[in-house]
Amino acid sequence: MTSPDHTSTGQESQAADRIAAVTEFLLDRESLLPAVASRLGPDAVFESAIRGSSMAPAIPKLSRLRVQLLGSRVPEPGDILFYLADAGFMVHRVVHQVSAASGERYYLTIGDNCLAPDRPVSERRVLGTVIAVDTTSGTRPPGSPRPISFLHRFARAISVRTTIVASHFGWSTAAQVAAVFRRLEDAGRARAGRVFRFIGLLGDRRRTESS
């Protein structure tokens, strides 16, 4: 009978404690993540957090994430990437990937609640994939996209497929097309927000008049 290796267990525990301490430190220092993560090893897992609701309910707003470094693995459609975008780190789902003529791989991602895809992201900007979500009810794998309306699916299909077609002319062209769809989505959401606020004001006025 082999006795337990307490030395090995203790070292593993210390390594886990170090990674936990580092990830806690990095939660509000995202700019340091790539440099630090590169020293954790190809299969290391670190923690971060999500602020927005573009991936809800698969990943609820303000959830803590467990991200596994990409290493040599190639993400597939449906995986949720943790990557460096122009405005900081982004957590969105892969819908398409293709290799450029140079051999570099690019990914097209989109938030579950979004209508327009993001600018294509180079594999060099991908830090890892989300493997778990820590919520108030416990830790679980990230969920699948929620059921959405026909109009939502239709709009997403047009924007994603058009951007994929544009990628055959180069990823800079695809980036421009994705940016156009994103501006259209932002404008539509702003307009919808004004409409809902107006409806809310009308409701408040009616309740005031009837009281």
Side-chain angles (χ1 to χ4, degrees):
M1 181 174 179
T2 304
S3 60
D5 187 347
H6 295 293
T7 302
S8 176
T9 302
Q11 290 175 344
E12 291 176 359
S13 177
Q14 291 175 3
D17 290 342
R18 285 197 299 270
I19 291 177
V22 169
T23 55
E24 187 69 28
F25 173 79
L26 292 173
L27 282 176
D28 294 319
R29 299 170 177 84
E30 291 183 340
S31 62
L32 300 178
L33 269 174
V36 175
S38 65
R39 298 178 178 273
L40 296 179
D43 296 319
V45 174
F46 66 92
E47 293 183 4
S48 187
I50 189 170
R51 298 181 180 87
S53 58
S54 64
M55 289 297 295
I59 303 179
K61 183 177 180 179
L62 301 180
S63 295
R64 289 172 66 103
L65 310 175
R66 298 189 184 183
V67 182
Q68 184 171 27
L69 295 185
L70 199 58
S72 60
R73 292 177 296 109
V74 177
E76 299 178 353
D79 288 342
I80 299 175
L81 297 188
F82 185 98
Y83 68 90
L84 181 60
D86 293 339
F89 281 96
M90 183 76 74
V91 177
H92 277 174
R93 197 181 298 273
V94 178
V95 292
H96 184 70
Q97 64 100 354
V98 68
S99 295
S102 62
E104 186 173 10
R105 187 176 286 107
Y106 285 82
Y107 300 97
L108 190 65
T109 61
I110 188 171
D112 288 355
N113 289 325
C114 298
L115 298 176
D118 309 308
R119 292 166 57 90
V121 56
S122 165
E123 62 183 343
R124 292 177 297 172
R125 285 179 164 257
V126 178
L127 203 57
T129 55
V130 178
I131 60 172
V133 182
D134 292 339
T135 65
T136 54
S137 58
T139 301
R140 61 168 176 78
S144 301
R146 68 177 183 179
I148 49 182
S149 68
F150 170 77
L151 289 177
H152 196 138
R153 292 197 303 271
F154 182 71
R156 280 171 62 100
I158 289 178
S159 64
V160 169
R161 290 175 184 174
T162 302
T163 306
I164 291 174
V165 170
S167 70
H168 296 295
F169 298 94
W171 280 106
S172 60
T173 303
Q176 293 173 6
V177 171
V180 170
F181 280 117
R182 177 51 56 88
R183 286 196 293 270
L184 289 173
E185 179 178 3
D186 291 342
R189 290 183 184 276
R191 189 175 297 111
R194 288 195 294 271
V195 171
F196 284 125
R197 286 194 294 273
F198 178 71
I199 292 174
L201 289 173
L202 285 180
D204 292 340
R205 181 178 300 174
R206 289 176 180 174
R207 284 192 293 271
T208 300
E209 292 175 349
S210 61
S211 60

